[in-house]
Amino acid sequence: MSGSLSRAAAALLRWGRGAGGGGLRGPGVRRAGSGGGGGSSAEQLDALVKKDKVVVFLKGTPEQPQCGFSNAVVQILRLHGVRNYAAYNVLDDPQLRQGIKDYSNWPTIPQVYLNGEFVGGCDILLQMHQNGDLVEELKKLGIRSALLDEKKDQDSK
Amino acid sequence: MELSAEYLREKLQRDLEAEHVEVEDTTPNRCASSFRVLVVSAKFEGKPLLQRHRLVNTCLAEELLHIHAFEQKTLTPEQWARERQK
C-alpha cells in the first residue's frame, strides 16, 4: 500500500505510548453521563458533542491512550497545540461506546467532533493534518494551530 | 461469514466500481480482526473525506460488525495517479 500516509500513520501510532503530557496541563478529560441515567441517548450525546469546540471519543485517555488509533488522534491534537478539548473514554462506559457509534453512524472509535459536527476518525484527522485542512478547521473555531507559529519561526530564520 | 482480505477486496471493487482496491489484513498487528484498505474510485470525485469513508462503510456495513479495527484510504483515480508518481 502506498507509502507516505501509512508511514506517517505508523509513526504516530508508535509515539508517546502512554507517555503522558510531560508536565503540560493536559486536556480536559470529561466523564460522560454525570448526573443520572445512561448518558448515551441521542439527545445527551448531541449536547455532549456541542458542549465543547473540540470533542473526541477515545479508547483510554489523552494521558494514557489504550489504542494506537486513539493515540494518533491525541498526538495530532498535541502537535497543533490544542489543549482544551473534551475527551471521553469509551472504555469506561459500554453504553457510551455503542451509543456514540449509533449517534454518528460510524462503526469505530476514535471519533472526532469539531464544533458539534462529526469530522471522522483517525484516518480522516491524519489526512486533514497532512493536507492543511485541520489548521483551517481549527482557525474557524478560533483556535490557532501551533504549527502556524512553528512555520512562522522557520520562515523568518 | 467469510472475512478474508480477498472477499473484502472483491466486494469493494464491485460495489464502488473501483479502479483499484488493496486490502491488507492487519490482524497479526492488533488484538482482533483488523483490516487496512485502499480504494480508488471515480465515485469519490467531488466528495469530502467523510462522505467517501461513509461509502466504504456502507459497502462493508455487515462485515464491519465483525471487524475490530479498520483503516481506510480513499482516492479518486486522479489522486491515485499523482500519488504513484511520488
Side-chain angles (χ1 to χ4, degrees):
Chain A
M1 195 164 148
S2 60
S4 59
L5 183 59
S6 47
R7 274 200 301 275
L12 276 170
L13 291 177
R14 281 197 299 272
W15 283 3
R17 192 156 279 161
L24 291 172
R25 195 169 74 84
V29 180
R30 318 265 196 279
R31 280 197 66 89
S34 52
S40 59
S41 74
E43 294 80 20
Q44 283 165 314
L45 290 174
D46 195 65
L48 213 57
V49 305
K50 295 186 158 103
K51 209 159 69 127
D52 298 275
K53 285 182 185 175
V54 181
V55 178
V56 301
F57 295 84
L58 305 172
K59 288 186 178 176
T61 65
E63 291 75 26
Q64 277 204 307
Q66 299 292 312
C67 149
F69 303 127
S70 290
N71 183 40
V73 166
V74 169
Q75 297 312 323
I76 291 173
L77 292 177
R78 194 172 62 85
L79 277 176
H80 287 263
V82 181
R83 288 205 186 86
N84 292 320
Y85 62 93
Y88 298 97
N89 183 357
V90 304
L91 297 179
D92 275 349
D93 185 346
Q95 280 185 309
L96 176 66
R97 185 172 177 173
Q98 187 54 48
I100 197 63
K101 292 179 190 173
D102 295 335
Y103 174 77
S104 58
N105 189 23
W106 185 264
T108 49
I109 306 290
Q111 295 192 5
V112 179
Y113 292 77
L114 295 180
N115 208 27
E117 212 177 288
F118 179 57
V119 159
C122 161
D123 289 338
I124 290 181
L125 197 71
L126 181 58
Q127 287 179 60
M128 286 172 68
H129 162 66
Q130 291 181 322
N131 66 19
D133 281 354
L134 184 54
V135 172
E136 285 311 307
E137 291 302 312
L138 289 174
K139 195 192 276 188
K140 289 184 199 168
L141 298 179
I143 300 175
R144 183 180 168 79
S145 168
L147 294 182
L148 287 173
D149 297 324
E150 232 176 63
K151 190 174 184 303
K152 229 166 44 154
D153 290 340
Q154 285 173 0
D155 286 344
S156 65
K157 281 199 182 114
Chain B
M1 140 171 311
E2 194 195 336
L3 257 192
S4 69
E6 186 52 33
Y7 171 78
L8 295 180
R9 203 185 61 74
E10 278 178 12
K11 193 168 191 200
L12 286 167
Q13 184 133 39
R14 203 175 50 237
D15 290 1
L16 296 176
E17 293 166 30
E19 178 179 299
H20 181 72
V21 179
E22 287 175 20
V23 178
E24 187 188 335
D25 187 340
T26 57
T27 306
N29 297 341
R30 311 253 179 265
C31 44
S33 175
S34 319
F35 291 92
R36 175 188 292 138
V37 309
L38 163 68
V39 184
V40 181
S41 167
K43 286 197 164 192
F44 296 145
E45 256 151 49
K47 294 194 168 67
L49 277 181
L50 184 57
Q51 230 178 320
R52 297 184 188 190
H53 284 221
R54 286 203 188 278
L55 277 179
V56 173
N57 288 355
T58 304
C59 169
L60 298 180
E62 213 188 304
E63 290 77 9
L64 280 168
L65 293 175
H66 305 279
I67 293 175
H68 173 73
F70 188 71
E71 297 168 80
Q72 56 168 301
K73 187 166 172 184
T74 51
L75 299 174
T76 61
E78 191 196 327
Q79 287 174 321
W80 174 234
R82 255 185 282 146
E83 194 158 307
R84 277 197 295 185
Q85 280 166 14
K86 285 192 192 149

